[in-house]
Amino acid sequence: MKYVYKLLVLLMVSFVSCNQPCNCDQGKTLGKYVLVIHGGAGTILKKNMKPEVEKQYRDKLAEVLKAGEDILKKGGSSLDAVTKCITMMENSPLFNAGKGSVFDAQGKNEMDASIMNGEDLSAGAVASVHTIKNPILAARAVMEHSPHVLLISKGAEQFAARQGLEIVKPSYFFTEKRWKSYLKVKAKQAVGEKHGTVGAVALDKQGNLAAGTSTGGMTYKMMGRVGDSPIIGAGTYADNTSCAVSCTGHGEYFIRNVVAYDIGALMKYGQLSLKEAANFVILDKLKKQGGDGGLIAVDHTGHFTMTFNTSGMYRAYATSEGYNGVFIYANEENIKPQKKKMK
Amino acid sequence: MKYVYKLLVLLMVSFVSCNQPCNCDQGKTLGKYVLVIHGGAGTILKKNMKPEVEKQYRDKLAEVLKAGEDILKKGGSSLDAVTKCITMMENSPLFNAGKGSVFDAQGKNEMDASIMNGEDLSAGAVASVHTIKNPILAARAVMEHSPHVLLISKGAEQFAARQGLEIVKPSYFFTEKRWKSYLKVKAKQAVGEKHGTVGAVALDKQGNLAAGTSTGGMTYKMMGRVGDSPIIGAGTYADNTSCAVSCTGHGEYFIRNVVAYDIGALMKYGQLSLKEAANFVILDKLKKQGGDGGLIAVDHTGHFTMTFNTSGMYRAYATSEGYNGVFIYANEENIKPQKKKMK
């Protein structure tokens, strides 16, 4: 048995060594689409959620999903669908991104975002911005209109302004709810809720993958702390030959484990399925380290996953086959999704 | 044959699926050490190099290597050796890091650095700092004395000051040579030399790996542009179960391809050797995309590589077996290093 195993490994090595570490089907999946969105993973329990608040989240997720799906249905790009969904979530006070961003230790809103195009591996990101209404649009502008991937702070803000993006006063990001959280955490002198991010991944009818992520960070975080959301490879990754991934969770763990890229690496080099890769990274590797969070991902064949090791993750999906759903708590969806139309 | 191959893949998948995507020997290599350093890859040609300048580089690399090797020889940690080597290169005006940093479009020195401990995957990084004498020490302080991985700009500078690190006036980083390059590039209104980074990787006698990278970025770069050097996964990565990697090159390509992490992923999931992985990523994948640069890496068994697709890379290595050498141009070293003592 030992000999057979050794032979298998040797054969595998010789196969992989021929400059072809990927044996996945690189052919594009044409004509079908998949869209998955998330509004953050964390301690989200039904017993702590008011029914009217739960309804607000479900309604907003359904509205965002529909807007993104409309783009894909008409043959629009995964990049446009991802951008649209994240922009809408940034404009809602419900999520910790854009308008609903939390306050840092200085009582400021400091935001990060990133986006990646699986077709050509182009990517853009901004970190530590205070005046850009939609950080995801700035990330996309960095990708499409600069030779760079990551711009931070004032450099990113000046670039966004030159690109004609909407610049707002920092006070635009003030919300009563987040300010109260800030005061509460400040009184305890402790870092607050570590989670809260929005993201989207999509496969379009042309077979192209895209992923994006946006966040307001952690309540009462140290000035200048940057998490995984604007880090290509950690919080966001997309590659047409494997998958598109957007993460949410305790950012430091996602950076150290290069989570978004790792999912595709496990598929391309390790021959795991998307689901196996996501389960291994989120439910095993990260959980053992104490890294709370989750991810959404779609692969180049249209398989998708919404995997998390917390009590909940705001999430929704829609596919060209008519499957769709909006979920908040763990174990809410069926493993085999029912073909149903959204209300 | 097709059936046999499918069987092999299926067996491999079932093996990999058992939460064990790595079949490498996770046992530590005890008692031996390896140290590799680099001072940047780029267009480095003997015909353009004055002999006295070449001598300065070779002497400094040898001096840095010896200081790092002394630590490892006495049983010190890979983390201490990496920190020492990078600090020394930051203090030299020869390299684009610390003292010798290039100027950005605003005529400022804006520096980035990162470090990672392969034993526990802890990591630290700073980006866009102007007043910290040794950015690598700030990165290490973030790793060891904060719950975060990445701190940027003023937040990073304030943290470094609180940690008691040496803070200098921005004018400390002024060098005549870099200022002339800045004026030259400014006159042409173009981004200058894309390369110039320092880095170190080491395996210590306890079997622990570490990697670190530090840079002054690109001459005349856009304000706020951050390259791969402070990005864990892109410019730096270390994991005792695979390898330690430090990159140098056109940062955007290294971010999009998550180069530092990719080397270990190809080893752990794809069963490639360190050399095969580095050759595939630097000489094939990156080269096809137009991504200039290189990397140094050492794996958990003590194999090491210095791989680049440019005309030169300042580099040096030393091992406990007594092999060592200092190199600048391509094809300078023998493939099988000669056992020799440094002058």
Side-chain angles (χ1 to χ4, degrees):
Chain A
M1 186 58 205
K2 210 169 175 183
Y3 174 74
V4 173
Y5 169 71
K6 206 168 173 184
L7 183 73
L8 286 176
V9 171
L10 278 170
L11 278 165
M12 206 63 205
V13 169
S14 66
F15 165 73
V16 175
S17 303
C18 306
N19 284 347
Q20 290 192 327
C22 167
N23 85 331
C24 55
D25 174 14
Q26 296 202 8
K28 285 184 179 182
T29 303
L30 300 176
K32 77 186 212 183
Y33 67 77
V34 177
L35 175 65
V36 192
I37 61 172
H38 74 77
T43 311
I44 308 169
L45 297 164
K46 197 166 176 69
K47 62 176 184 180
N48 300 335
M49 182 87 81
K50 286 181 189 161
E52 62 270 26
V53 176
E54 183 177 317
K55 189 177 179 311
Q56 280 174 20
Y57 276 105
R58 289 191 192 271
D59 289 352
K60 179 53 77 176
L61 287 167
E63 183 195 338
V64 170
L65 191 72
K66 192 180 175 312
E69 191 181 359
D70 282 350
I71 291 171
L72 296 172
K73 206 179 274 178
K74 289 175 190 157
S77 73
S78 51
L79 214 48
D80 284 345
V82 161
T83 307
K84 178 73 181 173
C85 291
I86 296 178
T87 304
M88 286 176 75
M89 288 190 279
E90 283 178 343
N91 290 344
S92 162
L94 290 172
F95 307 103
N96 178 18
K99 174 66 185 158
S101 292
V102 298
F103 292 88
D104 71 4
Q106 293 195 304
K108 288 184 179 178
N109 305 103
E110 197 167 67
M111 290 154 285
D112 310 321
S114 64
I115 194 163
M116 188 158 185
N117 182 352
E119 193 178 5
D120 59 4
L121 301 187
S122 63
V126 294
S128 199
V129 296
H130 303 267
T131 61
I132 302 169
K133 189 185 173 199
N134 291 107
I136 194 70
L137 297 181
R140 185 153 173 185
V142 171
M143 175 172 80
E144 293 179 341
H145 305 296
S146 93
H148 303 306
V149 171
L150 175 57
L151 290 182
I152 65 168
S153 303
K154 287 213 162 54
E157 290 175 347
Q158 289 178 10
F159 171 78
R162 284 199 302 275
Q163 288 293 316
L165 297 183
E166 192 170 354
I167 301 299
V168 293
K169 285 185 184 161
S171 60
Y172 161 79
F173 300 102
F174 181 91
T175 56
E176 197 63 37
K177 180 184 152 196
R178 302 298 190 193
W179 186 247
K180 277 185 186 163
S181 302
Y182 165 73
L183 293 176
K184 208 168 138 185
V185 177
K186 193 180 178 186
K188 288 188 201 162
Q189 285 288 319
V191 172
E193 175 63 66
K194 291 176 186 70
H195 312 103
T197 308
V198 305
V201 295
L203 170 72
D204 63 29
K205 287 184 179 176
Q206 292 73 47
N208 293 321
L209 292 170
T213 312
S214 180
T215 190
M218 303 195 278
T219 301
Y220 211 74
K221 70 174 181 188
M222 190 190 287
M223 183 175 71
R225 177 263 183 187
V226 174
D228 63 314
S229 301
I231 307 297
I232 296 300
T236 301
Y237 205 76
D239 178 351
N240 272 7
T241 66
S242 56
C243 59
V245 183
S246 169
C247 300
T248 167
H250 192 154
E252 278 72 12
Y253 291 88
F254 284 73
I255 295 178
R256 291 185 199 112
N257 291 282
V258 197
V259 171
Y261 185 76
D262 203 28
I263 303 299
L266 282 159
M267 291 178 68
K268 284 174 74 168
Y269 310 148
Q271 322 302 328
L272 263 61
S273 71
L274 180 71
K275 188 76 190 161
E276 287 168 333
N279 283 351
F280 170 63
V281 173
I282 298 295
L283 306 182
D284 184 12
K285 205 169 172 182
L286 278 194
K287 203 165 182 178
K288 277 178 188 158
Q289 294 175 30
D292 291 346
L295 59 80
I296 54 170
V298 55
D299 75 15
H300 64 115
T301 67
H303 287 104
F304 68 94
T305 186
M306 309 181 288
T307 310
F308 52 101
N309 60 28
T310 53
S311 59
M313 178 164 81
Y314 300 104
R315 62 202 187 279
Y317 71 87
T319 76
S320 49
E321 284 93 1
Y323 295 113
N324 58 55
V326 174
F327 311 97
I328 298 181
Y329 312 108
N331 306 315
E332 207 183 319
E333 74 264 42
N334 295 316
I335 290 164
K336 284 198 175 179
Q338 309 261 317
K339 192 160 186 167
K340 58 182 176 181
K341 282 287 161 198
M342 261 185 303
K343 288 164 201 166
Chain B
M1 185 58 206
K2 211 171 177 182
Y3 174 75
V4 173
Y5 170 70
K6 206 169 173 183
L7 183 74
L8 287 176
V9 171
L10 278 170
L11 278 164
M12 205 63 205
V13 170
S14 66
F15 165 74
V16 175
S17 303
C18 306
N19 286 346
Q20 290 191 327
C22 166
N23 85 332
C24 55
D25 175 13
Q26 295 201 9
K28 286 184 175 181
T29 302
L30 300 175
K32 76 187 215 184
Y33 67 77
V34 177
L35 174 66
V36 192
I37 61 173
H38 74 77
T43 311
I44 309 169
L45 296 164
K46 197 166 175 71
K47 62 176 183 180
N48 300 335
M49 182 86 80
K50 286 180 190 161
E52 62 270 26
V53 176
E54 183 177 318
K55 188 178 180 312
Q56 280 175 21
Y57 276 105
R58 290 190 191 272
D59 288 352
K60 179 53 78 175
L61 287 167
E63 184 195 338
V64 170
L65 191 72
K66 191 180 175 312
E69 191 181 1
D70 282 349
I71 291 172
L72 295 172
K73 205 178 277 177
K74 289 175 191 156
S77 73
S78 51
L79 214 48
D80 284 345
V82 162
T83 308
K84 178 73 182 174
C85 292
I86 296 179
T87 304
M88 287 176 75
M89 287 191 279
E90 283 178 343
N91 290 344
S92 162
L94 289 173
F95 307 102
N96 177 17
K99 175 67 185 158
S101 291
V102 299
F103 292 88
D104 71 4
Q106 292 196 304
K108 288 184 179 179
N109 305 103
E110 197 167 65
M111 290 154 284
D112 311 321
S114 64
I115 194 162
M116 188 159 186
N117 182 352
E119 193 178 5
D120 59 4
L121 301 187
S122 63
V126 294
S128 200
V129 296
H130 304 267
T131 61
I132 303 169
K133 189 186 174 198
N134 292 106
I136 195 68
L137 297 181
R140 184 153 175 187
V142 171
M143 175 172 80
E144 293 178 341
H145 305 296
S146 94
H148 303 306
V149 171
L150 175 57
L151 290 182
I152 64 168
S153 301
K154 286 214 164 52
E157 291 176 348
Q158 289 178 10
F159 172 79
R162 285 199 303 275
Q163 288 293 315
L165 297 183
E166 192 170 353
I167 302 298
V168 293
K169 286 184 183 162
S171 60
Y172 161 79
F173 300 103
F174 180 91
T175 55
E176 197 63 39
K177 181 184 153 197
R178 301 299 190 192
W179 185 247
K180 278 185 185 162
S181 302
Y182 165 75
L183 293 176
K184 207 169 141 185
V185 177
K186 193 180 176 185
K188 288 187 201 162
Q189 285 288 317
V191 172
E193 175 64 65
K194 291 176 187 69
H195 312 103
T197 307
V198 305
V201 295
L203 169 72
D204 64 29
K205 288 184 179 176
Q206 292 73 45
N208 293 320
L209 293 169
T213 311
S214 181
T215 190
M218 301 196 281
T219 301
Y220 211 74
K221 71 174 179 187
M222 190 190 288
M223 183 175 70
R225 177 264 183 186
V226 174
D228 63 314
S229 302
I231 307 296
I232 296 300
T236 301
Y237 205 76
D239 177 352
N240 273 6
T241 66
S242 55
C243 59
V245 183
S246 170
C247 300
T248 167
H250 193 155
E252 278 72 12
Y253 291 88
F254 284 73
I255 296 178
R256 291 185 199 112
N257 292 282
V258 197
V259 171
Y261 185 75
D262 204 28
I263 303 300
L266 282 160
M267 291 178 67
K268 285 173 75 168
Y269 310 149
Q271 322 302 328
L272 262 62
S273 71
L274 179 71
K275 189 75 191 163
E276 287 169 332
N279 284 351
F280 170 63
V281 174
I282 297 296
L283 306 182
D284 183 11
K285 206 169 170 181
L286 278 195
K287 202 164 182 178
K288 277 179 188 158
Q289 294 175 31
D292 291 347
L295 59 80
I296 53 170
V298 55
D299 76 15
H300 64 115
T301 67
H303 288 104
F304 68 93
T305 186
M306 310 181 288
T307 311
F308 51 100
N309 60 30
T310 53
S311 58
M313 177 165 82
Y314 300 104
R315 63 203 186 278
Y317 71 87
T319 76
S320 49
E321 285 93 1
Y323 295 113
N324 58 54
V326 174
F327 311 97
I328 298 180
Y329 313 108
N331 306 316
E332 207 182 318
E333 75 263 45
N334 295 316
I335 291 164
K336 284 199 175 181
Q338 310 260 320
K339 191 161 186 167
K340 58 182 177 182
K341 284 286 161 198
M342 258 185 304
K343 287 164 202 165

